[in-house]
Structures are given as structure tokens and as C-alpha cells.
């Protein structure tokens, strides 16, 4: 077992979850509630129960899976269930799931009776390397991602690679987008290591390295006033693409799939506006197209995408804010980009993937 010290809590890398059993034994919680979605109920809760046979007195709240359900209506359902189960400020919410569960569960716990303890047990690659660490909680409103939320730190995070065995390849590849991003924004050697890996080569060491990169950034800037903004590379355009896809596509893009599109577009903006070399841009494009299918969208939706970007929480005084690379392994933030340049980046992606 290995441990990373984060913002007043520990991130445990522990396939057995023995550290969770120790953690619970040391706390005298009045009630324990486990939040799952229908996927983790079937595939992950049994692994959780096997790892903690002595934990028998807990309640389970189940929500529907998918980003489209990370909204206030489902959150009200979680709050109502916690009330029905008699939860109080001395209770514990265990969020067992991917980014939707950890985001919404953290938000529900941080606001219920003005705050109760929660822990994160991320079960997808995406949530293990990104969503579960850093204290961001939130829900979506309409097509706008994570626009309602809090900064609230969990009591602990427990990462077990056993849960990754429950995922299909598409989910693993989606999470891999954030792994690639960590190298692009902060660690060129890591990027060079991961950019040719097979998805079946993702292991505990890689996950721990990604978490350590994010952790170094958030320790310096917990509330995203400065450096932490580099973690948003690819997300200004990527979140808009994701929000549009959720509303309009029969098979909506997963988060990492949308962010991959965003990182190619924002890679173009990095080259045009922030000094990223053409060689580095070409390398970035080749990497993402190696792992991710092209996404087809026409210029007719550009107005919709821009409207979603205007609602992005990173903006300032109606300027659309970006984090952009100046080279692979280095990123700058608070770069405000004109709508004309944003549209040019979308055109660049369309021309790149045409035919």
C-alpha cells in the first residue's frame, strides 16, 4: 500500500481496501451510507463487500449512471434518501463510483445539514486519476458542466485497481485522456512514456504518478486562483462539446472522448497564440487520434458551442478563458481567446478529421 498526502487527507493506493477498514474502525460514525449507480451496484459493490466483510450496518443509495443524471433533481433524491435513512452531521457518505458519483456525492455531502463527512472510492480510471482528488464537487445545470458546486475535501480517497477490471475498453480509454493531459501540462517525460502505451498497460504506478501530478498542482493552489487552472487544458472547448453531445447524440461522448477533441482544438490555439511548436502540435494530434475516434460536428453548432463556453466558470468579464500549452510539459493559464480564434480551432479540427 502507498499513500499520498493531499489537502488534509490521505489518498490510499490499496487493492485490498484494508486501509479503509482501519479508517472506519478509528471513526465512530453514527451512520454509514454508500452511494452507487446501477453499474457500480452490480459490479463494484460486491468487491467492496468482499473487502470489508465486517462492515454490515450501512444503507445504500442508488442513482442512474451517466453525466446526464448529474443534476439537481438526482441530487435532491440523494438528499431525500439521506434524510429517510436518518443521516446526521456525524454520518459518513461513501461515494463508490466514477466521476458522476464522486462529484454529485461530494456535493450532496458537503451541503447536507451544512456538511457531513464523505470519502471517495473511485471505480473508473477517469475518477481515479482526476475526479476523486482535489476537493471539487458539483453538478451540471442543463448543458453547462459543473456550474453548481463546492470546494469540499473528502476525509480520504481509496484507490483500488481491482475496480478497473469491471470496466469496458471505452471507459478505460476515456480515462486515459486525463492521463495524457497530466503529461502534456506538467511532465514531458511522463507524456512520452504514456503516449504509446496499450490501454491494458495502465497499472497502479501510472495511476499514482498521475494523481501525484494533480496533487502537486492542487497543493499549491487549492481554490483554483492560479496554477490549478492548468488542469483545465482541453476543457473549455471539451466541456462544450460534451454538453452538446449529451443533449443531441444518441450515443453521447464520454468525458474523456470530449476532452480529447478539446485538447486537439486547444492544442491548435496553443500553437497559434502561445508558442507551442508545430512539431509538438503534430505529436499531440497523433497521440489523441491513436486512442480516440474522430468526432463529427458541423459549423452549424458553433453558435451553440460558443454559448456553452460563455457560461464556463473559468471566464472573466465575458472573456472566454483557456489554459494553453507553450510546449509539451508546460502550460500557462488565464489566456483569453476571441470567438473568431475559437471558431478557427473548431474548423481546424473539422478539416483535420474530414473524410
Amino acid at each position: 500500500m502507498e499513500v499520498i498526502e493531499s489537502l488534509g487527507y490521505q489518498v490510499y493506493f490499496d487493492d485490498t481496501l484494508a486501509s479503509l477498514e482501519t479508517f472506519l474502525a478509528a471513526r465512530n460514525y453514527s451512520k454509514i451510507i454508500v452511494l452507487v449507480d446501477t453499474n457500480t451496484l452490480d459490479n463494484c459493490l460486491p468487491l467492496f463487500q468482499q473487502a470489508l466483510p465486517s462492515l454490515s450496518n450501512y444503507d445504500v443509495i442508488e442513482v442512474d449512471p451517466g453525466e446526464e443524471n448529474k443534476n439537481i433533481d438526482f441530487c435532491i433524491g440523494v438528499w431525500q434518501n439521506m434524510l429517510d435513512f436518518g443521516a446526521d452531521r456525524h454520518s459518513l457518505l461513501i461515494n463508490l463510483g466514477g466521476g458522476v458519483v464522486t462529484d454529485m456525492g461530494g456535493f450532496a455531502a458537503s451541503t447536507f445539514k451544512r456538511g457531513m463527512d464523505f470519502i471517495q472510492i473511485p471505480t473508473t480510471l477517469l475518477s481515479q486519476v482526476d475526479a476523486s482528488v482535489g476537493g471539487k464537487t458539483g453538478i451540471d445545470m442543463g448543458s453547462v458542466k459543473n456550474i453548481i458546486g463546492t470546494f469540499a475535501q473528502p476525509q480520504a480517497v481509496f484507490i483500488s485497481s481491482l475496480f478497473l477490471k469491471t470496466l469496458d475498453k471505452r471507459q478505460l480509454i476515456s480515462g486515459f485522456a486525463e492521463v495524457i493531459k497530466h503529461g502534456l501540462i506538467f511532465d514531458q517525460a511522463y507524456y512520452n512514456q504514456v503516449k504509446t502505451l496499450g490501454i491494458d498497460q495502465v497499472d497502479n504506478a501510472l495511476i499514482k504518478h498521475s494523481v501525484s501530478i494533480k496533487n502537486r498542482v492542487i497543493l499549491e493552489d487549492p481554490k483554483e486562483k492560479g496554477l490549478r487552472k492548468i488542469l483545465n487544458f482541453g476543457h473549455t472547448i471539451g466541456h462544450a462539446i460534451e454538453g452538446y453531445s449529451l443533449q443531441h447524440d444518441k450515443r453521447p461522448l464520454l468525458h474523456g472522448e470530449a476532452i480529447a477533441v478539446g485538447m486537439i482544438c486547444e492544442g491548435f490555439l496553443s500553437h497559434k497564440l502561445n508558442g507551442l511548436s508545430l512539431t509538438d502540435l503534430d505529436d499531440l494530434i497523433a497521440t489523441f487520434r491513436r486512442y480516440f475516434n474522430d468526432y463529427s460536428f458541423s459549423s452549424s453548432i458553433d453558435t451553440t458551442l460558443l454559448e456553452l463556453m460563455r457560461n464556463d466558470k473559468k471566464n472573466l468579464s465575458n472573456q472566454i478563458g483557456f489554459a494553453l500549452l507553450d510546449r509539451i510539459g508546460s502550460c500557462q493559464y488565464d489566456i483569453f481567446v476571441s470567438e473568431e480564434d475559437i471558431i478557427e480551432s473548431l474548423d481546424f479540427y473539422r478539416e483535420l478529421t474530414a473524410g
Side-chain angles (χ1 to χ4, degrees), residues 192-206:
N192 289 333
Q193 175 195 348
V194 302
K195 70 179 184 180
T196 58
L197 289 180
I199 199 65
D200 57 342
Q201 294 176 278
V202 173
D203 58 15
N204 282 338
L206 184 144

Side-chain angles (χ1 to χ4, degrees), residues 240-306:
I241 293 283
E242 183 179 8
Y244 175 85
S245 179
L246 282 168
Q247 293 290 319
H248 296 92
D249 293 343
K250 290 182 180 178
R251 189 173 184 255
L253 293 174
L254 298 176
H255 174 77
E257 295 168 337
I259 297 309
V261 177
M263 282 192 272
I264 291 175
C265 293
E266 295 183 27
F268 169 81
L269 292 174
S270 298
H271 171 61
K272 180 176 183 181
L273 303 174
N274 203 46
L276 183 71
S277 72
L278 184 58
T279 299
D280 282 352
L281 174 60
D282 288 342
D283 192 293
L284 176 157
I285 291 168
T287 296
F288 283 112
R289 296 190 77 192
R290 180 179 300 120
Y291 293 102
F292 294 91
N293 294 327
D294 296 335
Y295 180 61
S296 178
F297 61 99
S298 76
S299 58
S300 64
I301 73 165
D302 287 357
T303 301
T304 301
L305 295 178
L306 285 170

Side-chain angles (χ1 to χ4, degrees), residues 90-102:
H90 304 288
S91 300
L92 174 71
L93 183 65
I94 298 176
N95 299 315
L96 179 68
V100 171
V101 169
T102 58

Side-chain angles (χ1 to χ4, degrees), residues 208-243:
K208 182 173 181 288
H209 191 86
S210 256
V211 172
S212 70
I213 289 173
K214 181 168 184 178
N215 195 54
R216 286 169 64 185
V217 172
I218 64 175
L219 284 176
E220 183 169 329
D221 179 24
K223 295 292 181 72
E224 202 170 300
K225 303 297 185 184
L227 180 66
R228 185 169 178 165
K229 295 178 183 180
I230 69 173
L231 295 168
N232 294 318
F233 174 64
H235 285 60
T236 301
I237 291 175
H239 272 167
I241 293 283
E242 183 179 8

Side-chain angles (χ1 to χ4, degrees), residues 2 23 46 55 82 107 119 123 141 152 154 179 187 245 254 257 264 269 293 297 303 337 353:
E2 296 184 85
F23 171 91
L55 180 64
M82 290 197 291
F107 176 68
I119 63 174
T123 60
M141 190 168 69
V179 172
D187 188 336
S245 179
L254 298 176
E257 295 168 337
I264 291 175
L269 292 174
N293 294 327
F297 61 99
T303 301
V337 177
T353 58

Side-chain angles (χ1 to χ4, degrees), residues 25-207:
R27 309 282 184 113
N28 188 29
Y29 285 112
S30 60
K31 180 172 287 292
I32 294 175
I33 300 171
V34 181
L35 178 66
V36 296
D37 65 25
T38 52
N39 292 328
T40 53
L41 177 71
D42 294 337
N43 298 308
C44 299
L45 189 60
L47 296 176
F48 172 85
Q49 292 166 330
Q50 289 168 20
L52 294 120
S54 61
L55 180 64
S56 56
N57 187 23
Y58 61 89
D59 294 301
V60 176
I61 299 175
E62 178 187 347
V63 296
D64 289 343
E67 186 74 27
E68 63 271 21
N69 299 310
K70 196 178 81 174
N71 56 48
I72 192 66
D73 294 324
F74 273 84
C75 199
I76 288 170
V78 174
W79 285 321
Q80 185 63 58
N81 273 279
M82 290 197 291
L83 270 179
D84 294 343
F85 289 141
D88 56 36
R89 293 176 72 179
H90 304 288
S91 300
L92 174 71
L93 183 65
I94 298 176
N95 299 315
L96 179 68
V100 171
V101 169
T102 58
D103 278 0
M104 184 163 62
F107 176 68
S110 71
T111 50
F112 184 77
K113 298 190 175 180
R114 294 196 176 92
M116 60 181 274
D117 284 1
F118 65 97
I119 63 174
Q120 309 285 40
I121 308 180
T123 60
T124 64
L125 180 59
L126 178 66
S127 58
Q128 289 188 357
V129 300
D130 185 60
S132 67
V133 178
K136 278 186 176 181
T137 79
I139 55 175
D140 305 338
M141 190 168 69
S143 300
V144 185
K145 287 267 298 179
N146 299 325
I147 197 68
I148 308 296
T150 62
F151 282 102
Q153 305 304 330
Q155 294 301 300
V157 176
F158 298 88
I159 293 177
S160 168
S161 65
L162 297 180
F163 293 119
L164 299 185
K165 301 182 190 306
T166 69
L167 302 176
D168 61 26
K169 186 176 181 180
R170 186 184 177 206
Q171 284 283 351
L172 285 170
I173 292 174
S174 173
F176 200 61
E178 294 286 356
V179 172
I180 297 168
K181 182 197 78 177
H182 288 148
L184 284 170
I185 65 172
F186 202 78
D187 188 336
Q188 183 178 17
Y190 183 56
Y191 170 77
N192 289 333
Q193 175 195 348
V194 302
K195 70 179 184 180
T196 58
L197 289 180
I199 199 65
D200 57 342
Q201 294 176 278
V202 173
D203 58 15
N204 282 338
L206 184 144
I207 293 168

